[in-house]
């Protein structure tokens, strides 16, 4: 297949973008590239392969073949504007942060408790139906741009109604799609140069002529609606973060993560200190037994995955009225916008609605409508996880903590031994469970008392979460590494 020098046509006076009507450059999993080439040899050229990634020159036909693989999720490839950018993307990258996620703590019990009680599934349902009502949010359609502008207006109205002068909402225009993205920023009161971000994509797709009917209720109106409920609750509780918090609604995820890739690259080029990024893409289809599935692909952050598990073990355990059950899954290469942040060296995670083999079979079709799920109860659980993540990572100064906080537990790991000591409490520790980043319990100890040691000889190298339970059923969690 000959390379076509003119990949995309821009009409400068009108800004019209003819998306992927010509072959284009991209990156994808090397094995997927080989298999796709076997199936469609005239429609994909593998330019180079490094670190299990391939830079490719691919046709629209081959892109749709990847996109329709529901188990892979998302496009399965990442759009690149040139051969040079595709080749550069498969080179190793240095991390942008120095494992700051491991320093995240859990001590905002009162603030989190107040926020969780305010989550309203009806608000999420209303927002999903509103986004579904555009008919299609395919990135070249006028309705896609309008959905972003309307979301910006809604977010601004929410901030204004809450009397917030520390909040701004901006539109981000893109080079490789006519559809813009929307970004809400809550400026940090003490450390404004440190960022924590939750994002999702607002575009939808149903490849072929059906892109005129692409409701995208689950993929990804559910994620954007969940994020909007997180914002609403934060405003209702007058949450003022110490770190800067951002919420993002990305354009053109469905054609190769275009919007998020441009924004993440801009942040990286400007050395923006993003401590953690979490993606909400599909939050409402109850396809599997558990509520949340943490994705464990190689580019995801083990540190951040461990922290999300720590949050759920602490705030959403089986004895909590806000219980969230969780498991793990894998979504493969470039499956959603968190890949853009990981690809630029940031810590990124992607909690998903189901095991990918059991995820919503209606996505990328005209049948991705809200009535498939029937309620927003599941998405409300993602909103609770999002609130926990934001409140605990961004922090605030004017909050009290529970009677028994993590600060009451001295905890040291050295020489394959865990040493613990419970301070300032009449309670005692009844048991401890150690959980790995796949969510599996790998060690359990009982009758711990107030202090003691536990051997870690059975554990391999990696990241873990220790969950201590007291006799009065309080939870204390600690992250640690076995070297």
């Amino acid at each position: 297949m000959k390379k076509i020098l003119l990949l995309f046509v821009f009409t400068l006076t009108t800004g019209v973008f003819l998306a992927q009507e010509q072959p284009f450059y991209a990156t994808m999993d090397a094995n997927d590239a080989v298999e796709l080439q076997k199936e469609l040899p005239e429609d994909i050229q593998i330019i180079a392969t490094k670190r299990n990634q391939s830079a490719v020159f691919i046709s629209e036909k081959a892109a749709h073949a990847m996109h329709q693989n529901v188990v892979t999720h998302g496009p399965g490839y990442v759009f690149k504007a040139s051969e040079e950018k595709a080749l550069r993307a498969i080179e190793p990258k240095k991390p942008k942060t120095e494992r700051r996620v491991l320093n995240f703590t859990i001590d905002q019990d009162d603030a989190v408790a107040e926020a969780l009680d305010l989550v309203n599934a009806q608000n999420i349902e209303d927002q999903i139906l509103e986004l579904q009502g555009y008919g299609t949010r395919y990135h070249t359609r006028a309705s896609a741009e309008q959905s972003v502008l309307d979301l910006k207006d809604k977010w601004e109205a929410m901030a204004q109604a809450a009397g917030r002068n520390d909040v701004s909402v901006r539109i981000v225009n893109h080079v490789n799609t006519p559809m813009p993205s929307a970004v809400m920023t809550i400026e940090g009161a003490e450390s404004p140069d440190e960022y924590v971000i939750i994002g999702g994509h607002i575009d939808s797709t149903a490849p072929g002529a059906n892109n005129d009917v692409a409701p995208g209720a689950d993929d990804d109106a559910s994620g954007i609606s969940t994020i909007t409920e997180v914002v609403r609750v934060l405003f209702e509780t007058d949450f003022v973060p110490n770190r800067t918090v951002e919420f993002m609604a990305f354009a053109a995820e469905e054609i190769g993560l275009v919007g998020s890739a441009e924004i993440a690259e801009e942040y990286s080029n400007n050395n923006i200190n993003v401590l953690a990024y979490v993606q909400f893409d599909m939050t409402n289809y109850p396809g599997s037994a558990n509520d949340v599935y943490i994705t464990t692909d190689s580019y995801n952050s083990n540190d951040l995955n461990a922290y999300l598990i720590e949050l759920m073990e602490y705030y959403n355990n089986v004895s909590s009225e806000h219980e969230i059950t969780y498991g793990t899954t894998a979504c493969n290469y470039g499956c959603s916008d968190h890949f853009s942040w990981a690809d630029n060296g940031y810590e990124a995670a992607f909690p998903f609605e189901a095991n990918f083999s059991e995820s919503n079979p209606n996505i990328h079709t005209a049948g991705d409508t809200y009535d498939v799920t029937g309620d927003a109860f599941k998405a409300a659980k993602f909103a609770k996880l999002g609130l926990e993540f934001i409140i605990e990572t961004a922090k605030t100064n004017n909050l009290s903590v529970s009677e028994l906080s993590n600060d009451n537990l001295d905890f040291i790991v050295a020489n394959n031994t865990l040493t613990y000591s419970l301070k300032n409490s009449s309670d005692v520790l009844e048991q401890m469970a150690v959980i790995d980043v796949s969510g599996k319990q790998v060690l359990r100890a009982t009758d711990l008392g107030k202090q003691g040691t536990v051997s870690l000889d059975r554990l391999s190298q990696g990241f873990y979460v220790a969950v201590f339970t007291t006799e009065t059923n309080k939870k204390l969690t600690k992250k640690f590494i076995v070297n």
Side-chain angles (χ1 to χ4, degrees), residues 110-429:
D110 290 351
V112 170
E114 179 187 10
L116 298 189
D117 286 340
L118 292 173
V119 172
N120 188 332
Q122 184 62 53
N123 294 330
I124 301 175
E125 175 181 324
D126 293 344
Q127 181 66 40
I128 292 174
L129 291 172
E130 183 176 322
L131 289 171
Q132 177 180 294
Y134 289 94
T136 180
R137 302 185 305 281
Y138 188 65
H139 78 118
T140 59
R141 304 295 197 266
S143 54
E145 179 180 5
Q146 191 61 52
S147 71
V148 177
L149 297 177
D150 291 347
L151 182 67
K152 174 181 182 288
D153 289 345
K154 171 173 278 193
W155 282 357
E156 286 179 328
M158 292 166 63
Q160 184 176 8
R164 300 297 290 260
N165 57 15
D166 58 341
V167 175
S168 62
V169 186
R170 71 184 189 275
I171 289 294
V172 179
N173 292 310
H174 296 292
V175 174
N176 294 299
T177 176
M179 185 183 185
S181 298
V183 177
M184 171 185 280
T185 303
I186 308 176
E187 186 176 0
E190 290 193 357
S191 302
D193 294 334
E194 296 182 353
Y195 287 68
V196 291
I197 303 174
I198 294 181
H201 69 92
I202 192 171
D203 66 315
S204 64
T205 190
N210 285 333
N211 263 316
D212 289 330
V213 183
D218 194 32
D219 188 15
D220 177 38
S222 65
I224 297 301
S225 302
T226 300
I227 291 169
T228 300
E229 179 64 1
V230 170
V231 171
R232 186 197 68 79
V233 172
L234 290 176
F235 287 165
E236 185 169 343
T237 59
D238 297 322
F239 177 72
V240 177
N242 281 342
R243 291 172 171 142
T244 294
V245 174
E246 289 195 319
F247 301 95
M248 299 188 176
F250 298 116
E253 183 265 1
E254 299 287 11
I255 63 160
L257 318 185
V258 171
S260 62
E262 291 186 16
I263 292 174
E265 183 178 13
E266 178 187 0
Y267 276 48
S268 178
N269 290 341
N270 291 325
N271 293 315
I272 302 298
N273 186 15
V274 178
L275 301 183
Y277 174 86
V278 171
Q279 176 78 357
F280 279 178
D281 180 358
M282 297 171 57
T283 62
N284 202 42
Y285 182 76
S288 300
N290 292 312
D291 299 315
V292 172
Y293 284 77
I294 302 293
T295 54
T296 58
D297 302 88
S298 60
Y299 53 86
N300 287 1
S301 167
N302 284 336
D303 296 11
L304 189 51
N305 279 351
Y307 186 64
L308 294 178
I309 289 172
E310 186 181 12
L311 287 170
M312 288 187 286
E313 286 287 348
Y314 188 82
Y315 286 118
N316 314 117
N317 59 75
V318 67
S319 63
S320 168
E321 62 179 304
H322 301 290
E323 179 186 1
I324 298 175
T325 60
Y326 66 88
T328 60
T329 189
C331 68
N332 300 319
Y333 189 90
C335 68
S336 198
D337 295 302
H338 64 298
F339 181 91
S340 297
W341 297 89
D343 200 38
N344 281 279
Y346 293 113
E347 304 280 347
F350 180 25
F352 189 65
E353 66 186 10
N355 188 305
F356 272 94
S357 63
E358 300 173 320
S359 62
N360 193 338
N362 303 286
I363 67 169
H364 306 160
T365 74
D368 184 7
T369 55
Y370 179 71
D371 57 2
V372 172
T373 53
D375 61 51
F377 178 74
K378 187 181 186 75
K381 296 201 172 191
F382 278 82
K384 292 175 181 180
L385 178 59
L387 285 162
E388 293 159 10
F389 168 72
I390 292 297
I391 292 170
E392 288 289 5
T393 56
K395 301 294 189 191
T396 184
N397 271 334
N398 57 358
L399 301 169
S400 60
V401 300
S402 67
E403 178 185 355
L404 188 62
S405 73
N406 279 357
D407 290 339
N408 284 332
L409 181 66
D410 281 339
F411 180 93
I412 298 172
V413 172
N415 300 319
N416 280 344
T417 299
L418 183 156
T419 303
Y420 62 90
S421 177
L422 187 61
K423 307 177 297 180
N424 305 323
S425 174
S426 59
D427 215 342
V428 296
L429 299 172

Side-chain angles (χ1 to χ4, degrees), residues 102 409-421 432-434 443 452-468 477-483:
L102 284 173
L409 181 66
D410 281 339
F411 180 93
I412 298 172
V413 172
N415 300 319
N416 280 344
T417 299
L418 183 156
T419 303
Y420 62 90
S421 177
M432 177 196 71
V434 174
L443 180 65
T453 61
V454 176
S455 172
L456 303 178
D457 286 338
R458 293 168 48 194
L459 303 186
S460 57
Q461 291 186 357
F463 304 88
Y464 298 92
V465 175
V467 182
F468 292 87
T477 63
K478 295 287 186 179
K479 299 178 296 294
F480 67 95
I481 298 174
V482 174
N483 293 317

Side-chain angles (χ1 to χ4, degrees), residues 48-100:
T49 297
K50 290 185 179 181
R51 300 184 302 127
N52 298 319
Q53 296 185 84
S54 291
V56 300
F57 193 62
I58 186 173
S59 74
E60 180 182 19
K61 179 180 179 181
H64 283 168
M66 283 294 296
H67 201 286
Q68 288 299 89
N69 183 349
V70 175
V71 174
T72 300
H73 186 70
Y77 63 87
V78 180
F79 167 85
K80 298 298 176 183
S82 67
E83 180 177 8
E84 178 187 3
K85 287 190 174 184
L87 290 171
R88 190 164 65 239
I90 63 175
E91 294 292 337
K93 296 176 179 63
K94 294 181 179 180
K96 300 295 290 186
T97 57
E98 297 180 0
R99 303 171 69 91
R100 295 284 299 276

